Amino acid sequence: SECGGQTHKWQGQCPHCQEWNTLVESIPDAAPPKRFAGLAQASQVLKLADVEANEESRLPTGIAEFDRTLGGGLVPGAVVLIGGDPGIGKSTLLLQALCRMGAQYPVLYVSGEESAAQVALRAKRLALDTSATQVLAEINVEKILAAIANVKPLVAVMDSIQTLYSDQLQSAPGSVAQVRECAAQLTRHAKRAGTALFIVGHVTKEGAIAGPRVLEHVVDPVLYLEGDPHSAFRLVRAVKNRFGAVNELGVFGMAEKGLRGVSNPSALFLSTHEKPVAGSCVLV
């Protein structure tokens, strides 16, 4: 369950990644034919100096602090993986960003954990403009891809990857094989169609994103939403970003109407600690 490796017998330690107690018994599925055919493109050897490199245009999410964490905005065709503890605000942040982008671009919110009515209720509670935001409650990845091909959104959200399954495999949703296959199909379509894709991922009790580590390798940015669920403040940390700097940190405050960026970190410190007395020093 950690690296996706396979062995013919049970062992306490995985022989591939050396992690303990990560082997899970399952029936192996035959790999679908031409699974990565959509990613293979005819190419030729070129000199690096002859390659025309153009800066990718960015799509603003409408949340400045989120844009900065992404490296200046969302790149068309990028696949963004965002993980965090349950109830930390992943779905809230993405729904806010999607509704704001919906005013300018076609968007689609795919929910595998909540019904469309529950998503609409949360958007109403956050006082979001949902007039242009489309929603789909589905967990079959083939039906999701058909809907994306029909709607042609510029930005889509998958909430979450652990709830999706493919008809090409027999294992249950959330298994290593299903997560790997669904991520491969979604990534292939996003790169081919130029759809920017947010993928929500569950985390383990150790804080790492659940599922095979290959999931973090195939995506472009990897973000973690951190914070104490009992506190009003959240941190979005970029640990990988092919289109920007890593270790970028976005600071958000959880308000009545969702997450809002905190532009003054000292205000964050002073609001969560006692105010310093005269003559004292505060390290922020």
Side-chain angles (χ1 to χ4, degrees), residues 16-33:
H16 304 283
C17 65
Q18 310 305 318
E19 291 292 332
W20 289 91
N21 301 320
T22 59
L23 291 179
V24 179
E25 183 180 9
S26 62
I27 300 175
D29 294 291

Side-chain angles (χ1 to χ4, degrees), residues 175-235:
S175 64
V176 171
Q178 286 287 3
V179 171
R180 184 168 51 211
E181 177 62 24
C182 292
Q185 291 195 39
L186 291 170
T187 301
R188 181 168 64 247
H189 181 85
K191 300 298 182 183
R192 182 174 60 244
T195 301
L197 190 63
F198 285 102
I199 296 179
V200 177
H202 297 169
V203 296
T204 63
K205 61 181 180 180
E206 290 82 14
I209 294 180
R213 293 303 298 270
V214 68
L215 180 61
E216 298 183 37
H217 290 288
V218 299
V219 300
D220 300 308
V222 178
L223 309 179
Y224 279 89
L225 185 59
E226 306 168 350
D228 185 352
H230 302 290
S231 172
F233 298 99
R234 304 288 188 269
L235 302 178

Side-chain angles (χ1 to χ4, degrees), residues 1 18 22 27 33 44 52 74 78 95 101 163 181 190 200 216:
S1 60
Q18 310 305 318
T22 59
I27 300 175
Q44 58 182 346
E52 183 178 356
L74 191 59
L95 185 60
M101 287 186 286
T163 63
E181 177 62 24
V200 177
E216 298 183 37

Side-chain angles (χ1 to χ4, degrees), residues 42-243:
S43 184
Q44 58 182 346
V45 178
L46 299 172
K47 290 184 178 180
L48 189 59
D50 297 334
V51 178
E52 183 178 356
N54 297 320
E55 186 69 22
E56 294 283 351
S57 59
R58 305 272 180 163
L59 304 175
T61 63
I63 305 175
E65 197 76 0
F66 198 27
D67 288 339
R68 187 174 59 80
T69 309
L70 289 168
L74 191 59
V75 176
V79 181
V80 183
L81 176 63
I82 179 168
D85 293 330
I88 203 69
K90 303 182 297 296
S91 300
T92 297
L93 178 61
L94 293 179
L95 185 60
Q96 285 181 249
L98 204 66
C99 289
R100 295 187 183 186
M101 287 186 286
Q104 304 179 44
Y105 324 109
V107 297
L108 176 64
Y109 189 96
V110 179
S111 176
E113 301 180 352
E114 298 177 298
S115 65
Q118 289 176 309
V119 176
L121 185 62
R122 175 153 32 96
K124 182 179 180 181
R125 185 174 66 250
L126 299 174
L128 299 175
D129 181 10
T130 59
S131 57
T133 303
Q134 302 178 90
V135 63
L136 172 66
E138 182 59 62
I139 61 174
N140 182 276
V141 72
E142 282 81 15
K143 294 181 180 179
I144 292 172
L145 292 175
I148 292 177
N150 182 45
V151 175
K152 294 182 175 59
L154 194 57
V155 183
V157 170
M158 301 293 141
D159 188 7
S160 65
I161 187 66
Q162 278 81 13
T163 63
L164 304 186
Y165 75 94
S166 172
D167 288 331
Q168 299 178 354
L169 301 178
Q170 298 179 354
S171 51
S175 64
V176 171
Q178 286 287 3
V179 171
R180 184 168 51 211
E181 177 62 24
C182 292
Q185 291 195 39
L186 291 170
T187 301
R188 181 168 64 247
H189 181 85
K191 300 298 182 183
R192 182 174 60 244
T195 301
L197 190 63
F198 285 102
I199 296 179
V200 177
H202 297 169
V203 296
T204 63
K205 61 181 180 180
E206 290 82 14
I209 294 180
R213 293 303 298 270
V214 68
L215 180 61
E216 298 183 37
H217 290 288
V218 299
V219 300
D220 300 308
V222 178
L223 309 179
Y224 279 89
L225 185 59
E226 306 168 350
D228 185 352
H230 302 290
S231 172
F233 298 99
R234 304 288 188 269
L235 302 178
V236 177
R237 190 185 306 274
V239 298
K240 171 190 174 182
N241 195 348
R242 289 174 178 163
F243 306 113

